[in-house]
Amino acid sequence: MKKYFIKLKAGENSALVNMLIKHIAFSKEDAILNITRGSVWVDNKRETNPNRIITTELVAVYKPDFPVGRFVLDPASIVFEDNDLMIVHKSSGLDTVPTPMCATDNLLYGVGVYLRSKGYQYEVSPINRLDKPTQGLTIFAKNKKTEIALHELFRLRKIKKLYLAITPQLEIKSKELVVDEPVEWKGKVQDAVTHIKFIKLHDSKSYFRVYPLTGR
């Protein structure tokens, strides 16, 4: 991925799409594509309007090294859905939420498009997030009341996260262990406790049940 910064000279102004064409040598089609998929930021805010007039703002452009599209949610991946929430299986290799370089190739985008097609106008967000390489269940609330209630259940640990980890065959001394190593995030140190239990060895792979007690 490449990242470009553009800032016009004092007194200049330009439509955003024309800036990308002139300063990064994009074709008009590529410039519009990068803007509408959310790869362009103006003064640290994502901008998706190609015709926005830029004057003194700092423009940052993310250019992926690989094709980036628009994720379409397969209804078959919906594990549960009612009027208040939905639970969706996220596949490995898919981001849960937008990244700085793209706002459309992620699970949240696909869920949002799906719900709007069903008449829902609420801007959903995932109650829990999975890293890109991880597959598993992600919960989305369809209204604010449910969103608040689900976050509270996670806070109280009434909803727990349980992972299956598969590794190359490992020599282990104990079938159960606890990893207790505080982590620092944005200058704040927080507890991080994870319980790990060996399940089995199969086809030269070790299987573990992993329970992050603190969620970190």
Side-chain angles (χ1 to χ4, degrees):
M1 180 188 71
K2 297 182 177 65
K3 186 176 182 181
Y4 302 88
F5 293 96
I6 309 170
K7 192 171 181 63
L8 298 178
K9 295 179 180 178
E12 291 185 332
N13 67 79
S14 172
L16 184 58
V17 62
N18 293 333
M19 286 182 66
L20 270 60
I21 294 170
K22 178 179 179 180
H23 295 277
I24 310 181
F26 277 140
S27 67
K28 185 174 182 179
E29 180 181 7
D30 285 342
I32 292 175
L33 175 63
N34 274 267
I35 296 168
T36 56
R37 74 182 176 195
S39 301
V40 179
W41 295 68
V42 177
D43 279 352
N44 294 318
K45 293 183 180 179
R46 200 186 302 269
E47 179 57 65
T48 57
N49 178 11
N51 297 314
R52 174 173 170 177
I53 301 300
I54 305 298
T55 54
T56 61
E57 301 91 340
L58 177 65
V59 175
V61 182
Y62 292 85
K63 186 179 180 182
D65 297 323
F66 49 85
V68 177
R70 295 177 184 271
F71 175 71
V72 178
L73 181 69
D74 181 355
S77 67
I78 300 174
V79 177
F80 175 83
E81 182 177 10
D82 63 12
N83 291 330
D84 295 308
L85 62 90
M86 62 189 295
I87 302 174
V88 182
H89 181 271
K90 185 191 85 67
S91 59
S92 176
L94 177 68
D95 286 302
T96 302
V97 295
T99 64
M101 73 176 183
C102 183
T104 59
D105 194 13
N106 59 81
L107 183 61
L108 175 59
Y109 177 83
V111 168
V113 172
Y114 168 82
L115 289 177
R116 286 191 292 275
S117 74
K118 301 293 183 180
Y120 288 91
Q121 299 302 315
Y122 185 69
E123 292 294 329
V124 298
S125 62
I127 305 302
N128 65 305
R129 301 184 183 187
L130 298 177
D131 292 335
K132 187 173 184 176
T134 306
Q135 62 174 309
L137 302 180
T138 306
I139 306 172
F140 295 85
K142 292 183 175 180
N143 54 68
K144 191 64 176 179
K145 182 179 179 180
T146 301
E147 181 178 334
I148 293 172
L150 287 170
H151 278 303
E152 181 67 4
L153 289 174
F154 269 106
R155 189 186 71 81
L156 297 173
R157 297 177 187 168
K158 292 185 177 182
I159 299 177
K160 299 179 180 180
K161 301 176 184 179
L162 190 64
Y163 292 84
L164 173 66
I166 305 173
T167 73
Q169 182 175 345
L170 298 176
E171 296 295 330
I172 57 173
K173 296 180 180 180
S174 174
K175 289 190 175 181
E176 296 189 33
L177 66 149
V178 177
V179 178
D180 185 355
E181 295 184 1
V183 297
E184 182 177 349
W185 177 249
K186 295 182 178 180
K188 183 179 180 181
V189 177
Q190 297 176 304
D191 290 335
V193 181
T194 301
H195 292 250
I196 302 173
K197 183 176 182 178
F198 174 76
I199 301 174
K200 65 179 180 179
L201 179 66
H202 179 71
D203 287 342
S204 298
K205 290 185 180 355
S206 296
Y207 289 70
F208 300 88
R209 184 180 68 189
V210 181
Y211 170 44
L213 180 65
T214 58
R216 304 179 192 95

